[in-house]
């Protein structure tokens, strides 16, 4: 395989040997994600995975796919590429956990203007870090060198994951009742949504992203914005083992107003206590700098709440205990009420 080389293809901008070099550099990172179900090595035409269905009566496969979006622009500007892979994994696994699925495996797709092996390896390192956090195996992927389509120093990144859940344990909000409690799982920052607005507000193309800011506790804007998306899989799986979870929402693009209603059935609404929400400093800075209304902020960003779970009132304290024992500083932000208005923040 290493003898494969095309001078003509290289003159057109595609270096096949760089791809081989990138694979060699990423292998050590991929090895950290391997789980007992993995049946194939990197480099084949497909990733093989053996399902362990022990204890699962009616297995349902759950799939999710997503990318990192324009947050990648910050990675380009900061020349830091080893964390956006975590974002890519998080956007997929945090979605499928909302219906109770345990992530099994992940695949990535990287499209770039020029295959720089060390950079590709950095990206994959982030992906592997995310997979380890989610308990998923990286079993395959694709790096596409596309000169003339992407600028030499730029790339796009997307991913796909598959998980499994027992049919009887699917979280589908059908058991929701009035008085159920909404629990917030804090976010690590902006996560991977709303960056088209963020980049406009801060004019990131024309400012120094490495200057410490008092408003951010001495952190720089660049490092704050590049903070990777938090992965909630292990904490939520532990919660599902002990509490009758009624609904789960991943707070992504569209913020509170779009995502929380997705976990609530018709005839019910979420009554959110605005004063209880622990808004992170970066969101205050975005709102102030961009002169953005509070309504728009809550309709665009996670505002410090990366995930919201709905549990019965009499199990709320136990749910908080389980989440906190799994590293989540969870807290109550509201309750379920009978209402045709899906969400009210007051």
């Amino acid at each position: 395989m290493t003898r494969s080389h095309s001078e003509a293809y290289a003159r057109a901008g595609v270096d096949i040997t760089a791809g081989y070099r990138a694979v060699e550099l990423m292998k050590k990172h991929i090895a950290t994600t391997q789980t007992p179900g993995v049946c194939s090595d990197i480099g084949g035409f497909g990733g093989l995975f053996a399902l362990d269905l022990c204890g699962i009566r009616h297995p349902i496969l759950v799939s999710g796919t997503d990318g990192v979006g324009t947050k990648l622009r910050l990675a380009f500007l900061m020349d830091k590429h080893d964390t956006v892979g975590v974002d890519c994994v998080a956007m997929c696994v945090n979605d499928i956990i909302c219906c109770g699925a345990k992530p099994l495996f992940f695949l990535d797709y990287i499209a770039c203007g020029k295959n720089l092996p060390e950079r590709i390896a950095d990206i994959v390192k982030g992906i592997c870090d995310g997979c380890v956090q989610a308990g998923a195996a990286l079993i395959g992927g694709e790096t596409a060198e596309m000169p003339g389509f992407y600028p030499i120093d730029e790339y796009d990144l997307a991913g796909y994951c598959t998980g499994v859940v027992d049919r009887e344990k699917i979280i589908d909000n059908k058991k929701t009742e009035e008085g159920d409690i909404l629990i917030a799982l804090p976010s690590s920052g902006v996560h991977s949504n709303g960056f088209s607005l963020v980049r406009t507000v801060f004019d990131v193309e024309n400012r120094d992203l490495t200057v410490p800011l008092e408003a951010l506790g001495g952190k720089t804007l660049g490092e704050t914005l590049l903070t990777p998306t938090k992965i909630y899989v292990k904490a939520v799986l532990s919660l599902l083992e002990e509490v009758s979870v009624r609904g789960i929402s991943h707070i992504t693009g569209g913020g509170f107003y779009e995502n929380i209603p997705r976990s609530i059935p018709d005839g019910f609404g979420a009554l959110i206590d605005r004063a209880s929400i622990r808004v992170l400093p970066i969101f205050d800075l975005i709102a102030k700098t961009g002169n953005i209304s509070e309504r728009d902020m809550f309709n665009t960003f996670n505002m410090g709440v990366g995930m919201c779970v709905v549990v019965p009132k009499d199990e709320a304290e136990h749910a908080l205990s389980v989440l906190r024992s799994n590293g989540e500083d969870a807290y109550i932000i509201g309750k379920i009420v009978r209402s045709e208005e899906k969400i009210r923040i007051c």
Side-chain angles (χ1 to χ4, degrees):
M1 180 65 75
T2 56
R3 296 179 60 189
S4 174
H5 178 69
S6 168
E7 291 291 344
Y9 211 4
R11 288 195 298 271
V14 178
D15 185 353
I16 297 173
T17 57
Y20 302 147
R21 170 66 176 158
V23 170
E24 288 303 314
L25 290 174
M26 67 178 72
K27 280 184 176 180
K28 63 181 180 181
H29 303 305
I30 296 171
T32 66
T33 76
Q34 303 302 279
T35 62
V38 177
C39 301
S40 58
D41 293 325
I42 294 297
F45 287 99
L48 307 181
F49 193 90
L51 281 173
D52 179 2
L53 299 178
C54 181
I56 301 178
R57 295 179 59 193
H58 301 106
I60 302 294
L61 295 179
V62 183
S63 299
T65 186
D66 209 336
V68 181
T70 63
K71 183 175 184 175
L72 290 176
R73 189 64 191 160
L74 273 298
F76 303 158
L77 293 171
M78 297 289 291
D79 193 24
K80 181 174 174 56
H81 311 279
D82 61 351
T83 60
V84 289
V86 178
D87 292 292
C88 189
V89 174
M91 298 309 292
C92 297
V93 297
N94 285 346
D95 274 356
I96 71 168
I97 194 65
C98 287
C99 56
K102 176 183 178 181
L104 298 174
F105 58 81
F106 189 86
L107 294 94
D108 66 79
Y109 177 78
I110 305 168
C112 57
K114 183 175 179 59
N115 189 330
L116 302 173
E118 287 74 17
R119 177 178 294 179
I120 298 298
D122 274 350
I123 297 169
V124 174
K125 177 187 179 300
I127 293 169
C128 293
D129 289 344
C131 284
V132 170
Q133 292 177 40
L138 179 61
I139 64 169
E142 172 70 12
T143 300
E145 191 171 19
M146 302 169 66
F149 194 85
Y150 289 95
I152 288 177
D153 291 329
E154 296 186 6
Y155 56 84
D156 199 4
L157 174 62
Y160 162 88
C161 68
T162 291
V164 65
V165 61
D166 199 323
R167 183 188 295 274
E168 288 74 21
K169 296 181 180 180
I170 294 174
I171 308 301
D172 58 9
N173 76 32
K174 291 181 179 178
K175 296 181 180 179
T176 301
E177 295 180 1
E178 186 173 21
D180 285 349
I181 300 299
L182 283 82
I183 295 177
L185 280 63
S187 70
S188 56
V190 183
H191 284 184
S192 297
N193 305 102
F195 272 86
S196 292
L197 178 55
V198 168
R199 292 184 300 110
T200 300
V201 165
F202 292 124
D203 189 19
V204 298
E205 303 289 338
N206 299 297
R207 73 179 294 158
D208 187 347
L209 299 171
T210 65
V211 177
L213 299 178
E214 184 178 348
L216 299 177
K219 292 184 177 181
T220 70
L221 184 60
E223 68 178 313
T224 300
L225 293 176
L226 270 184
T227 300
T229 305
K230 196 170 188 179
I231 291 175
Y232 301 97
V233 170
K234 293 181 179 179
V236 172
L237 287 176
S238 294
L239 181 68
L240 294 175
E241 291 179 359
E242 299 195 38
V243 174
S244 304
V245 176
R246 300 274 171 79
I248 308 176
S249 52
H250 182 200
I251 314 301
T252 56
F256 279 51
Y257 285 97
E258 181 175 323
N259 292 288
I260 291 180
R262 296 166 67 180
S263 65
I264 302 171
D266 291 342
F268 294 93
L271 181 60
I272 307 291
D273 176 14
R274 169 63 181 85
S276 70
I277 298 172
R278 302 171 187 173
V279 178
L280 296 175
I282 183 61
F283 297 112
D284 290 330
L285 185 60
I286 292 170
K288 181 179 179 180
T289 305
N291 191 28
I292 302 171
S293 70
E294 185 167 271
R295 175 62 167 74
D296 281 355
M297 289 295 295
F298 275 94
N299 206 164
T300 306
F301 302 106
N302 68 62
M303 299 300 284
V305 179
M307 185 160 280
C308 180
V309 298
V310 181
V311 301
K313 183 178 180 178
D314 61 359
E315 295 188 61
E317 288 303 317
H318 183 49
L320 290 171
S321 176
V322 171
L323 288 168
R324 289 167 182 169
S325 67
N326 280 275
E328 294 296 333
D329 189 17
Y331 61 98
I332 294 172
I333 59 170
K335 62 182 179 180
I336 297 295
V337 296
R338 287 199 174 276
S339 173
E340 294 305 316
E341 185 179 13
K342 297 298 291 185
I343 182 169
R344 184 152 51 99
I345 304 174
C346 57

